[in-house]
Amino acid sequence: MSAAPQVKFYQVGSFAAGNRLLGPEQQSDQADAGRANALTCGHRACQGCGEALGARYILDAAQRAAGGKVIAVNATGCLEVFSTPYPETSWQLPWLHSLFGNAPAVAAGVAAALRAKGRTDIRVVGQGGDGGTVDIGLGCLSGMFERNEDVLYVCYDNEAYMNTGVQRSGATPPTARTATTQAVGDEPGAPFGQGKNLPLIAMAHEIPYVATATVAGLRDLEAKVHRAMGMRGARYLHVLVPCPLGWGTPSHDTVRIARLAEQTGLFPVFEAKDGEVTDVTPIRRRLPVEEYLRPQKRYAHLFQPELRTDVIARLQRTADRNIARFGLLPHEEAAS
């Protein structure tokens, strides 16, 4: 399984700005003036919303891969609320919304109906946030995996229940401050030893395809969507989508924060097939976790009124474990 294609990026400000000199076969889906714009203007997402970026990138890529024949099923959450304020919608494809926890089951039902009608040309994408996927929808999602339903399910992971006031979810990282994990006590924020690693849970089902990605890697994300859409059966894509509101970051820093999550090792980017890791995105320049934590207000209590070196060191050990587990660095550098 090959990684996303590597291309030359030219100096900003030159006549090649935006990589317009690249051939069509090398350009991203977003560089195509004829892209689907599956999620178009008029939505109410916050400025800098990583989830809005991720949904646009993924569904445009899915539309291209399937020749425009895609049905999307959406869980309740930020993505549903900001994109469909009644009686308006920002979606430019067939789109369904049911309940918070049953998007995988509804998507499986749509796929079954299409199969009964003999419409193998129409593909189904289910999607939801980490609350609707990791917590409330986990039973339906596991059932979808177990039955190997022909659905690509996407989790947009902003690491909390952002739509209802930034409460902790099963994907909230340790020490992060949320409305329900306040920064008080010896171990401030969300506790260590809780939460769920859903990509690994998906791999345990040995479904055809599991991958992680971030909104910082557009080409990597698009390549994984195209790869997943070229397969049949249950597929799972887990995408890190920073939330400026919940994370306490500037709206213009969304992509930078996502890239820092990759480069520190706190969010490993990889692909797996039938339960086995087949490819990883290596860390280009390893950074300490402090560089990722410091710009986010949800971690401000780790730096003032006093520097919590003990807690930061514990988070660094988590990143180091990810790097070793997934082989995100060359062996000699990882061992040093």
Side-chain angles (χ1 to χ4, degrees):
M1 196 174 289
S2 59
Q6 298 297 311
V7 299
K8 177 178 175 57
F9 285 88
Y10 298 89
Q11 181 178 354
V12 174
S14 72
F15 289 111
N19 274 40
R20 289 194 295 270
L21 294 185
L22 289 175
E25 72 284 351
Q26 290 183 298
Q27 293 178 2
S28 69
D29 293 343
Q30 289 298 306
D32 182 3
R35 65 181 179 268
N37 279 327
L39 179 64
T40 191
C41 60
H43 60 71
R44 271 68 162 176
C46 299
Q47 189 176 31
C49 173
E51 190 170 32
L53 278 178
R56 174 178 168 178
Y57 293 165
I58 288 167
L59 286 172
D60 279 359
Q63 288 272 75
R64 171 175 278 190
K69 296 181 178 181
V70 174
I71 296 176
V73 176
N74 215 122
T76 298
C78 277
L79 182 59
E80 169 262 324
V81 170
F82 72 62
S83 64
T84 57
Y86 182 81
E88 302 170 0
T89 180
S90 292
W91 296 103
Q92 297 197 103
L93 80 170
W95 183 92
L96 289 82
H97 165 240
S98 183
L99 303 176
F100 211 144
N102 70 347
V106 173
V110 172
L114 291 170
R115 187 167 60 249
K117 293 172 68 69
R119 295 300 304 270
T120 58
D121 56 324
I122 301 176
R123 309 304 300 280
V124 182
V125 175
Q127 54 185 9
D130 52 289
T133 304
V134 175
D135 293 338
I136 304 174
L138 183 58
C140 289
L141 185 65
S142 178
M144 192 200 95
F145 290 161
E146 186 270 330
R147 296 187 302 272
N148 198 28
E149 303 283 1
D150 189 24
V151 174
L152 168 60
Y153 190 92
V154 182
C155 175
Y156 301 101
D157 184 5
N158 54 26
E159 300 186 334
Y161 288 86
M162 300 306 181
N163 179 52
T164 53
V166 195
Q167 295 91 358
R168 177 193 175 275
S169 80
T172 301
T175 79
R177 182 179 61 199
T178 71
T180 50
T181 56
Q182 293 294 326
V184 294
D186 292 334
E187 293 189 359
F192 284 91
Q194 296 185 20
K196 306 165 194 173
N197 190 324
L198 197 48
L200 295 185
I201 294 173
M203 287 172 59
H205 289 75
E206 298 190 358
I207 60 176
Y209 186 73
V210 174
T212 64
T214 79
V215 291
L218 171 60
R219 290 175 179 277
D220 175 68
L221 181 54
E222 288 182 345
K224 286 170 177 171
V225 173
H226 279 270
R227 194 168 293 125
M229 294 298 288
M231 300 177 178
R232 293 286 177 173
R235 291 142 288 145
Y236 180 70
L237 182 57
H238 193 102
V239 186
L240 185 70
V241 291
C243 172
L245 175 67
W247 294 18
T249 54
S251 58
H252 61 267
D253 269 353
T254 297
V255 169
R256 183 176 76 91
I257 295 297
R259 185 172 295 114
L260 287 171
E262 289 186 48
Q263 298 303 306
T264 56
L266 284 173
F267 189 86
V269 178
F270 65 91
E271 291 178 287
K273 185 176 180 181
D274 300 324
E276 299 292 337
V277 174
T278 56
D279 194 23
V280 301
T281 298
I283 292 175
R284 295 177 60 187
R285 184 170 70 91
R286 186 178 185 179
L287 297 171
V289 297
E290 186 173 336
E291 293 202 25
Y292 170 72
L293 303 172
R294 193 176 283 276
Q296 303 179 53
K297 289 183 180 179
R298 62 175 177 163
Y299 293 114
H301 53 281
L302 301 183
F303 300 96
Q304 56 183 358
E306 62 182 22
L307 182 64
R308 293 297 306 271
T309 55
D310 55 333
V311 179
I312 295 173
R314 200 169 172 185
L315 292 171
Q316 183 65 61
R317 289 196 292 273
T318 298
D320 295 344
R321 182 171 182 261
N322 286 338
I323 290 171
R325 169 187 273 181
F326 293 99
L328 301 178
L329 289 173
H331 294 301
E332 61 274 9
E333 185 177 346
S336 62

